Amino acid sequence: MEITTQPTDLTEQINSWKEEVNEVREDVKMMRERLEQIALSSAPREVMTNVEHFENRLLRQREVADEMFHDLKQCAKKLSAQSPTVIHDDRPVCDYDTMSNRMEVFQKLFMELKADFNHFMDSEL
């Protein structure tokens, strides 16, 4: 089935995803700051082990967010070079399905990380 999609619609979706990735970056920054406070305290060894564990997870989350943001920017750039109307077979340009699936996984993994982190922080307070 062929679908005609305006590049502006696709651009809006990409921009929305970029905003979401930036929000994740900010959340990660705040979580790392909270971990730093614990790391500077005289917390027990077990707590410090968990702090290191979350530091590693947050570092990786930041790396994934940076990769995702870069790929979204590249997709937007490719899209801006397209003709006014993009015709495709059930998926937009830039391999939209792949980007959409990656965003779903990105969102799911971040929500799991955030839930684990909040559980850890609640148990330490």
Side-chain angles (χ1 to χ4, degrees):
M1 178 175 159
E2 195 171 85
I3 300 172
T4 303
T5 304
Q6 296 297 320
T8 53
D9 295 340
L10 301 175
T11 301
E12 287 176 19
Q13 179 63 62
I14 291 169
N15 288 336
S16 171
W17 285 338
K18 285 169 50 179
E19 288 175 22
E20 190 171 341
V21 170
N22 276 330
E23 288 173 13
V24 167
R25 286 171 159 171
E26 286 299 313
D27 284 351
V28 167
K29 182 179 177 183
M30 289 187 315
M31 287 187 266
R32 290 187 75 191
E33 290 170 358
R34 290 176 68 191
L35 283 179
E36 283 179 26
Q37 293 172 353
I38 294 173
L40 295 174
S41 71
S42 57
R45 183 175 177 86
E46 178 184 308
V47 171
M48 295 308 254
T49 301
N50 284 329
V51 166
E52 183 178 352
H53 168 76
F54 278 105
E55 284 176 340
N56 291 334
R57 286 182 68 185
L58 292 171
L59 178 63
R60 181 61 188 136
Q61 182 67 45
R62 175 63 194 229
E63 290 171 352
V64 171
D66 289 345
E67 291 167 7
M68 182 66 70
F69 192 83
H70 171 77
D71 291 350
L72 289 167
K73 279 180 32 179
Q74 292 302 314
C75 189
K77 186 184 233 184
K78 180 179 177 183
L79 184 61
S80 68
Q82 298 291 324
S83 60
T85 301
V86 180
I87 299 176
H88 51 83
D89 294 322
D90 287 340
R91 70 176 207 208
V93 297
C94 304
D95 201 3
Y96 180 86
D97 287 338
T98 299
M99 292 304 293
S100 180
N101 289 338
R102 285 181 61 197
M103 278 303 296
E104 284 180 32
V105 170
F106 177 79
Q107 293 162 336
K108 178 182 178 281
L109 292 176
F110 179 69
M111 294 310 292
E112 289 173 6
L113 170 60
K114 193 172 184 177
D116 290 348
F117 180 82
N118 288 334
H119 177 72
F120 166 70
M121 293 304 289
D122 290 343
S123 69
E124 294 312 310
L125 298 178

